[in-house]
Amino acid sequence: MSQYLLSIARKLLTACTLTVAASSGLACSQDAADGAAGPDATVTTDGVAPDSPYQDETTEMSDGLITDISGSDSTSGDGSDFVDDSAAALDLLNAQRIASSLSLLELDPSLSEGCEAHVAFMVAAGKLIREEDPAASGYSEAGATAARNGVLASGMPRASDAAVRWIDSVYHRLSILDPGVTTVGFAYDRGFACLDVYSAYVDPGRHSPVLWPGLEQENVPRTFEPVQGVTPIPTDVDSPTGPIISMMFPRVTLVGGGLVSSLVAGNTSAPVEHLLRHPESKDDPWAEYQGNAVLLIPLAPLEPSTTFTVTISGLIDGEESLREWSFSTGVDLAPNASN
């Protein structure tokens, strides 16, 4: 299981147990309970809800693999090589939601049934499938809807592995951290996972920017691993880079193109070389999938066990704005999805 997400779960999810139980599944702070990010806290979307503001992008997103992560497409015949720790997977996702000052995800059994149907469809086919063919055996409307409105994964030894990979990959993570995503469906079987994030989407309206990493988040991965070549990193930048830091504004917010950013390490204030992707970056082939997010990309892996401070300033809705927050890295280069 990812050590950096596990540490969040231990420090935040456990600490919030009594509060969560008392408030019927809401997160610990009043801001989170209201479904909004804290005052200094990122979102975007790579999926589509039927009535969401992203509906016009349905076809483009479904045609690609933006929301899909593939490991190995092979499965064992009896599924004995795989571990269904779905509860742990949801805990990991919610731990990150808390770290990013968001409400906890609530699991809807009916949405989970749709994910179960699509996972069964993929298991039968032995490969990750985004669109269900209505003429194919095993097709169901519920499964097709879950696939269209969800993030998928294959070749995951554990359900929690899918959660780790979704959080670690920029476009998937941004969907999961969308404040309008509060009710989800989830299913896992034999390496295949489905998280329906947009079937129950609720327009969050205006909200504070959501950050990743969250405020003072610890054990953040030191590198970024592209998913199937889908990455905002230019082709002339050597791999590996540092983790992609994100700050997402509501879609109604006007984010200026002339933003200024800095990333400094520790008390030395040593600058870290990086590039900044804003929502209208012309040289980014995947800019349309980052929504209204600003992405900061360190050009080399970050130093271990180090605190970093991010600063992004410029015109937001026509007014000068400054965002500054800190996080710290772990020891490992990248999160380890297995125990």
Side-chain angles (χ1 to χ4, degrees):
M1 185 179 294
S2 165
Q3 294 304 304
Y4 87 99
L5 284 179
L6 185 58
S7 69
I8 299 171
R10 285 172 175 167
K11 294 187 64 177
L12 297 175
L13 201 56
T14 301
C16 293
T17 300
L18 296 179
T19 305
V20 170
S23 58
S24 301
L26 298 180
C28 300
S29 69
Q30 184 60 45
D31 285 335
D34 290 339
D40 289 310
T42 333
V43 296
T44 188
T45 176
D46 55 9
V48 184
D51 297 318
S52 80
Y54 311 105
Q55 189 167 2
D56 291 341
E57 300 172 8
T58 302
T59 302
E60 293 180 20
M61 292 185 179
S62 296
D63 287 346
L65 292 175
I66 301 305
T67 58
D68 306 334
I69 294 178
S70 292
S72 169
D73 283 336
S74 63
T75 62
S76 65
D78 60 3
S80 60
D81 296 339
F82 303 103
V83 178
D84 184 0
D85 58 347
S86 294
L90 268 295
D91 283 349
L92 289 173
L93 296 177
N94 275 327
Q96 183 60 63
R97 295 268 301 188
I98 293 174
S100 293
S101 300
L102 295 168
S103 63
L104 296 179
L105 298 174
E106 295 186 3
L107 200 61
D108 184 312
S110 63
L111 297 183
S112 292
E113 288 178 2
C115 271
E116 288 169 4
H118 187 65
V119 165
F121 189 86
M122 293 190 292
V123 168
K127 61 181 180 180
L128 190 148
I129 298 173
R130 164 57 53 182
E131 295 286 340
E132 289 194 15
D133 182 354
S137 174
Y139 170 85
S140 69
E141 184 176 345
T145 298
R148 184 171 62 251
N149 292 334
V151 292
L152 307 176
S154 68
M156 300 291 113
R158 301 168 184 252
S160 56
D161 294 341
V164 170
R165 293 292 301 275
W166 284 330
I167 290 297
D168 193 41
S169 59
V170 60
Y171 301 115
H172 311 71
R173 173 217 306 159
L174 294 172
S175 289
I176 293 167
L177 298 186
D178 188 326
V181 176
T182 58
T183 303
V184 299
F186 183 79
Y188 171 87
D189 187 22
R190 305 188 192 190
F192 295 96
C194 166
L195 180 72
D196 184 339
V197 290
Y198 285 109
S199 287
Y201 187 87
V202 176
D203 185 353
R206 285 195 173 272
H207 57 81
S208 298
V210 186
L211 306 178
W212 189 91
L215 295 170
E216 308 300 332
Q217 186 167 333
E218 299 177 348
N219 294 314
V220 172
R222 297 170 51 206
T223 62
F224 169 72
E225 180 180 352
V227 176
Q228 299 174 333
V230 179
T231 169
I233 302 172
T235 56
D236 59 352
V237 173
D238 294 333
S239 293
T241 68
I244 297 182
I245 299 163
S246 53
M247 178 170 67
M248 178 67 185
F249 296 88
R251 289 181 68 86
V252 295
T253 298
L254 179 61
V255 181
L259 299 178
V260 176
S261 60
S262 68
L263 180 63
V264 296
N267 297 327
T268 63
S269 296
V272 176
E273 189 177 4
H274 65 277
L275 60 86
L276 195 70
R277 293 292 205 194
H278 58 78
E280 297 181 358
S281 294
K282 303 302 182 184
D283 60 340
D284 182 358
W286 305 105
E288 63 185 299
Y289 297 110
Q290 76 183 53
N292 215 20
V294 174
L295 307 178
L296 188 152
I297 307 168
L299 297 184
L302 299 181
E303 291 297 317
S305 304
T306 301
T307 296
F308 293 85
T309 299
V310 186
T311 303
I312 299 176
S313 61
L315 290 178
I316 305 296
D317 277 340
E319 298 183 359
E320 285 292 335
S321 176
L322 172 67
R323 295 279 171 173
E324 183 176 284
W325 76 101
S326 298
F327 65 89
S328 58
T329 53
V331 175
D332 296 333
L333 280 174
N336 180 5
S338 301
N339 282 327

